[in-house]
Amino acid sequence: MNFSVIGSQFWSLAFQGLALGLIYSLVSLGYTMVYGVLRLINFANSEVFMVGTFSVLYLQINILGVPIGEPALHGVKLIAYLAISLIGSMIVCALLAILVELVAYRRLRARGANRLASLISAIGVSIALLEGFSMLTGARGQIAPRLLDKWSFGEFAGANFRIDQVMAIVMPIVIFLILDQFVTKSRLGKSIRAVSMSEENSKLMGININQVITLTFCIGGLTTGAAAFLYTTVYENTVFNVGFNMGIAAFTAAVLGGIGNLRGAFYGGLALGMLEQFASAILGSQWKAITVFVVLVIILLFKPNGLFGEAVQQTRT
Amino acid sequence: MSRLRNFNLRDFGASIWARWNRPTRTLFVLAVISLVSLLPFAASWGPTSFMNTPITSFQNVLVYPVGMFVLMALGLNIVVGKSGLLDLGYIAFFAIGAYSQAILSTFFGWSTWVILPFGIGFAMISGVLLGLPALRLRGDYLAIITLGFGEIVRIVALNLEVTGGPSGIAGIPNPPGFFGVKFDIMHPQNFFWVVLILILLTIWMIRRFTVRRPGRAWEAIRQDEDVAELMGVNTLVYKLWSFVIGAAVGGAAGVIFASKVMVISPDMFKFDISIFILACVVFGGIGNIWGVVLGASVLAYLPERIRFLADSRQLVFGLVLVLMMNLRPDGLLPRKKREKITEKGSK
């Protein structure tokens, strides 16, 4: 127990928690979007994230040819390279998420199989991806090249505003704003909401269910890809089982905020990131996971639909 | 093709079973049990030696993973299959059983047979402690809480001194023998028979429960919880019961496991194993005892049998899982189809 850190490091912890939490919330979109439409836990999303981090590394090292350990890039080249790795990771993740839907979910859905069957087939995909990458990488962790020179905007009350962490805060917020507009305003976004409210009725209204589901997986993949890019930029490493902890955290974040709910994922991720940072500072990092789950249990006991979950069947996703 | 697809082995078996009289049934059950109890010798007998597992000894494979996973899958099947509660942290009860054995035997010198009821009791108590708050929640919320519980048990074991931290507890004594039956590293087949007895007891218990009030209550809860509650089923109590009985089976498995392997560490109780047990249940045929037994045997045995694939065996395992679920979404041996009546009507 070390409560003095709250006084001395409050802003620093809060800032780091914010950056971590917003990465969580991007990944948790991959769970929450799919859950909203299919009422299924997209178990393979953690592996989509893992593949995303490796695709960023592959792009930067093998295609763009940035050597590891070299001094960082500057100017237009830096922005171009960052943009390429971001977009590349998003595309890879989106394609993979769509593939996961095709392989693990579509046939089962067409046959009206029970929910657990889909869960297990998604777990199968997840195991296959995990082991595949474990073999490809020799189960060793890999270091990312440092594209971005990590200069700081300055300090405020002990918090160091480093460029990569600022990026990890600004980018998710922008993505969430765009996505929120897309889901509430655009025609496709409305069809996603319609399917999440009632699949039967949306079918009757002429919505192509399969198309909407593919779109949902695609969006989840895109945001997970962005999260993978941010993760490698901030932490500069990855390993084949990086998705496991990220997946559990992101899923917890989605439940915390109210699963199936877009804004819930955002706030849930934020709350979780903050909670983890403060819990590991106060109690020691080994008790971090326990604190998170105890808080989750308490919140769910009083708010069974999550912090920001609306009543069931209302404005979902 | 459609006939093949609609072929339901369970119903086929049930129709044969229904034709038999009581002595035939008893004889059949005894024959199956004695055949299964001869399994440890299958590897050394010519015609069945193809079952032998490379690298690990076949008799050890029969105890762990096969026997243990069958037992745990049966326990989880009470929770997931019978009453429809998704539990992603079942390994926690196994861990509690294993740590009860490890701590009580190394610190107090108790024998495994004395610890067994205690281990079961601890697992049941933790089931109540987890169930009381968690079972008020539904579906995926319950899933995440149980997942969290599984992780909590592992992390607590990782950080406490009494559990030995990350290195775990070593030097757990084997169970004392009786009637000249020895339990040690040279006699893994004896452990298999103990596990087999536990499996048979569990199957018997589940079958008893299924035809009585708790079984009917679980079935009602699984099909529609709201309706069950409206019909006067005390849903929380019966959900708690299924949870606690499932926990008891897991705890018993854990006690035997710890006394068999003699060294346990938190690494053995990871989240993947909870998922693996769930996969056994769903793969075999959720809710159907024989399906679960078959599924757990296949899934636990397969990775050991294909060890010659070395690193890629887990990859193959994952692909097999996807393929099988796509081909048979209800599992290898699905539960009895209750919509039979409508099928007859449409003919």
Side-chain angles (χ1 to χ4, degrees):
Chain A
M1 291 285 182
N2 179 11
F3 284 102
S4 62
V5 291
I6 297 188
S8 57
Q9 299 176 22
F10 181 84
W11 290 107
S12 163
L13 288 172
F15 182 65
Q16 283 167 16
L18 204 65
L20 181 68
L22 285 170
I23 296 181
Y24 284 163
S25 61
L26 277 184
V27 181
S28 77
L29 272 177
Y31 291 95
T32 220
M33 296 286 292
V34 170
Y35 189 88
V37 173
L38 288 181
R39 297 281 179 275
L40 288 172
I41 305 171
N42 179 14
F43 226 93
N45 197 47
S46 53
E47 263 47 71
V48 172
F49 173 80
M50 180 269 293
V51 174
T53 59
F54 276 106
S55 69
V56 171
L57 254 64
Y58 186 80
L59 264 175
Q60 291 180 348
I61 298 171
N62 295 22
I63 294 182
L64 297 176
V66 184
I68 294 172
E70 289 286 296
L73 303 168
H74 293 285
V76 183
K77 200 177 173 192
L78 169 70
I79 294 171
Y81 277 21
L82 283 180
I84 290 172
S85 17
L86 170 67
I87 293 167
S89 157
M90 286 170 82
I91 291 174
V92 168
C93 286
L95 289 178
L96 185 66
I98 293 170
L99 191 70
V100 167
E101 196 267 328
L102 277 178
V103 173
Y105 291 98
R106 179 153 295 182
R107 253 181 78 91
L108 284 170
R109 204 172 60 244
R111 293 177 64 173
N114 68 24
R115 297 164 26 119
L116 281 174
S118 317
L119 188 72
I120 299 297
S121 79
I123 289 171
V125 171
S126 178
I127 294 174
L129 281 174
L130 186 71
E131 294 301 325
F133 270 80
S134 160
M135 285 164 66
L136 279 178
T137 60
R140 280 186 300 273
Q142 300 206 343
I143 300 168
R146 176 172 285 198
L147 293 183
L148 189 62
D149 191 19
K150 300 205 168 165
W151 46 272
S152 173
F153 283 105
E155 282 197 14
F156 169 75
N160 189 4
F161 287 81
R162 250 167 50 193
I163 174 71
D164 54 330
Q165 289 183 327
V166 171
M167 206 163 80
I169 292 171
V170 174
M171 197 185 286
I173 293 177
V174 172
I175 291 175
F176 265 92
L177 286 176
I178 296 172
L179 200 59
D180 198 51
Q181 286 300 307
F182 173 76
V183 167
T184 45
K185 299 280 160 58
S186 79
R187 205 180 152 79
L188 278 171
K190 281 179 184 167
S191 62
I192 292 181
R193 277 164 59 212
V195 174
S196 76
M197 283 177 203
S198 167
E199 202 178 312
E200 292 288 299
N201 282 345
S202 351
K203 229 180 250 175
L204 293 176
M205 302 311 278
I207 294 174
N208 184 341
I209 303 277
N210 279 341
Q211 200 186 345
V212 168
I213 290 171
T214 308
L215 178 71
T216 318
F217 272 86
C218 175
I219 293 174
L222 287 174
T223 59
T224 307
F229 166 75
L230 289 174
Y231 181 89
T232 42
T233 311
V234 175
Y235 297 100
E236 294 186 334
N237 63 61
T238 184
V239 66
F240 73 102
N241 59 8
V242 67
F244 177 73
N245 285 332
M246 177 56 81
I248 288 192
F251 183 58
T252 310
V255 174
L256 194 64
I259 195 162
N261 179 331
L262 203 84
R263 290 174 192 177
F266 181 78
Y267 295 119
L270 262 186
L272 190 74
M274 295 280 197
L275 200 64
E276 281 200 348
Q277 286 295 328
F278 280 104
S280 54
I282 294 168
L283 300 169
S285 59
Q286 72 269 35
W287 299 110
K288 178 176 74 177
I290 292 186
T291 320
V292 167
F293 278 113
V294 169
V295 170
L296 183 73
V297 172
I298 294 168
I299 288 175
L300 287 183
L301 281 181
F302 291 104
K303 303 250 332 170
N305 285 321
L307 273 183
F308 302 91
E310 290 116 290
V312 186
Q313 301 299 324
Q314 281 178 13
T315 55
R316 279 230 168 193
T317 306
Chain B
M1 188 64 203
S2 75
R3 246 187 83 187
L4 200 71
R5 187 167 283 173
N6 290 330
F7 176 73
N8 185 329
L9 192 63
R10 191 200 188 284
D11 290 356
F12 181 68
S15 70
I16 295 179
W17 181 256
R19 262 182 264 140
W20 286 347
N21 54 11
R22 201 173 172 89
T24 325
R25 289 179 185 182
T26 319
L27 208 66
F28 178 73
V29 170
L30 286 178
V32 169
I33 292 175
S34 38
L35 214 63
V36 171
S37 58
L38 286 177
L39 262 181
F41 307 114
S44 44
W45 189 51
T48 50
S49 58
F50 67 90
M51 289 171 76
N52 201 359
T53 45
I55 300 166
T56 29
S57 128
F58 179 68
Q59 294 187 342
N60 279 320
V61 166
L62 275 184
V63 184
Y64 185 88
V66 177
M68 284 297 160
F69 277 114
V70 170
L71 192 55
M72 282 196 280
L74 281 170
L76 184 63
N77 182 45
I78 303 173
V79 186
V80 182
K82 295 290 173 193
S83 44
L85 307 164
L86 185 53
D87 183 348
L88 293 181
Y90 189 69
I91 193 67
F93 303 121
F94 184 67
I96 287 168
Y99 272 102
S100 325
Q101 157 72 18
I103 293 170
L104 291 178
S105 68
T106 50
F107 283 77
F108 302 106
W110 293 10
S111 108
T112 305
W113 312 119
V114 180
I115 297 170
L116 191 59
F118 280 92
I120 294 173
F122 289 142
M124 287 173 92
I125 292 169
S126 61
V128 174
L129 289 181
L130 168 67
L132 268 182
L135 289 173
R136 290 170 205 277
L137 303 165
R138 285 191 185 178
D140 298 307
Y141 293 102
L142 179 65
I144 184 85
I145 296 284
T146 50
L147 188 161
F149 178 70
E151 284 292 286
I152 285 174
V153 168
R154 187 177 67 85
I155 295 168
V156 167
L158 200 62
N159 290 304
L160 285 187
E161 277 195 14
V162 69
T163 55
S167 51
I169 299 177
I172 305 164
N174 282 134
F178 48 80
F179 307 132
V181 181
K182 281 197 188 114
F183 294 95
D184 54 36
I185 201 156
M186 300 306 293
H187 300 88
Q189 70 271 31
N190 293 341
F191 283 101
F192 174 72
W193 288 323
V194 169
V195 175
L196 183 64
I197 289 169
L198 283 178
I199 290 172
L200 291 174
L201 277 176
T202 310
I203 292 176
W204 175 75
M205 182 178 77
I206 297 173
R207 287 178 67 90
R208 289 286 87 198
F209 272 125
T210 310
V211 293
R212 276 150 203 260
R213 193 176 170 83
R216 293 198 301 273
W218 292 339
E219 181 65 31
I221 291 168
R222 188 177 63 83
Q223 292 193 356
D224 195 323
E225 203 174 323
D226 293 318
V227 174
E229 191 146 18
L230 287 173
M231 298 307 282
V233 176
N234 193 338
T235 51
L236 184 63
V237 167
Y238 281 107
K239 284 199 293 185
L240 202 57
W241 264 118
S242 83
F243 216 68
V244 168
I245 293 166
V249 177
V255 172
I256 302 296
F257 171 75
S259 70
K260 163 80 171 62
V261 297
M262 300 165 82
V263 182
I264 56 168
S265 66
D267 275 358
M268 297 171 173
F269 310 107
K270 278 188 173 169
F271 171 67
D272 344 5
I273 304 192
S274 295
I275 292 302
F276 190 84
I277 305 167
L278 183 67
C280 292
V281 172
V282 179
F283 183 82
I286 184 165
N288 178 15
I289 296 175
W290 309 116
V292 170
V293 171
L294 182 71
S297 317
V298 170
L299 285 196
Y301 175 71
L302 191 69
E304 299 295 333
R305 186 69 188 83
I306 60 174
R307 243 176 214 280
F308 56 86
L309 296 175
D311 286 343
S312 58
R313 72 197 165 98
Q314 290 291 345
L315 182 72
V316 173
F317 174 74
L319 295 176
V320 167
L321 222 51
V322 181
L323 196 68
M324 272 306 302
M325 288 333 285
N326 272 291
L327 293 176
R328 286 188 78 94
D330 291 327
L332 290 173
L333 295 177
R335 78 168 100 216
K336 203 170 190 171
K337 286 259 183 335
R338 289 190 188 266
E339 53 269 28
K340 260 272 134 73
I341 307 152
T342 50
E343 273 178 26
K344 269 180 194 158
S346 64
K347 265 177 195 169

